[in-house]
Amino acid sequence: MLKTRNAIVLLAVLACMSCGDKQSGKTKAPTRVKIESTSTSGTYGGEVYVGTVEEREATAVSFTSMGVVKRMLVSEGQMVHRGQLLAELDPTSMYNSVEAAKASTSQAHDMVEQARSVYNQAKDAYDRMKLLHDNGSLTEIKWIEAETRLKQAETSLRTAESGVRSASAAEKIVRKNLDDTRLYAPVSGIIGRKQVGAGETALPSQAIVTILDVSSVKVKVSVPEQEMGRITPHTPSHIVVGAADRHVNGGLIEKGVQADALTHTYDIRIHVPNPDRKLLPGMVANVTLSAGNVGEAAITLPVTSVQKKSDGSLFVWTISADSTAHRTAVSIGHPAGNRVSVVQGLNYDQKVVVEGYQKLSEGTKVIY
């Protein structure tokens, strides 16, 4: 009986050990990391500057007349399209002005009708008097009176017709002022800043909102005067904007011609494409300008992504097609800002871990 009991206990222990082995063999959840795909930078190895992203163009939009803002239909950072309604003034006073102008125009038309009736009567009398005058049957005084009455009627008619034209022009202006209580976007872009809110009084030509064209942007960099001579409109540049996680090659460079009196620096502006509109005015950019013409292209990575083994050799964590992490030995060049060139060990379009590498070991499954 004792042997049987011991056998049962042994089987139970073995079963528990087997169960533990199965649990320990469960697939571990993938480790989340942040990656960066390797790409070239033909400008690596030059001077590094700090720049600021600017809009391609800013358009201040304003009302043409004074009034109280009834509605603001846009907010800062909102994308708007040309012709879109942005804001409205309270139109009550303009409606009253339109009604008054319509009444004035109607009154002017009535005056024209009255003046034309008087003119027709004077013209008819003049025609009859002329027959008598030509036959010698009318005294000179009567003839002069007929001529005078006709000229007065003509003058009154012309004055009344001029009044109609003036009243019509005034009504047209007032109607335009009514239309101008609605403010439309003259261009497409992003609302940069709202200067006036609902309930506030807008003055003529006071900017209500600013529309920023960021379909492409400019990166402004202040360059010491002694370095301006080597910069041309086509000097290669590489731009890193951390806030937007963008690494791009810059385009045409605009060179300023007036130096800052205190710092003796000149502003340059580098054109940068921005099709996804992620680069926004005010973002800080690290800008690398090549020392000369386009040099040998290099792969660059954040300095922190390069790790060191105990023997002093360097490596980075790369991600293979099956989403597993692997140590990849690399050789690096000199750092520029917070990035470093990789001269050996990597190919283009490889995935390199730039955040979360502390949790990795060879073959770890990852998600990104």
Side-chain angles (χ1 to χ4, degrees), residues 249-260:
N249 291 327
L252 189 68
I253 297 178
E254 298 176 5
K255 295 176 63 175
V257 296
Q258 187 171 358
D260 185 281

Side-chain angles (χ1 to χ4, degrees), residues 331-347:
S331 298
I332 64 173
H334 295 290
N338 60 354
R339 297 183 71 81
V340 66
S341 66
V342 179
V343 296
Q344 283 186 347
L346 292 179
N347 297 318

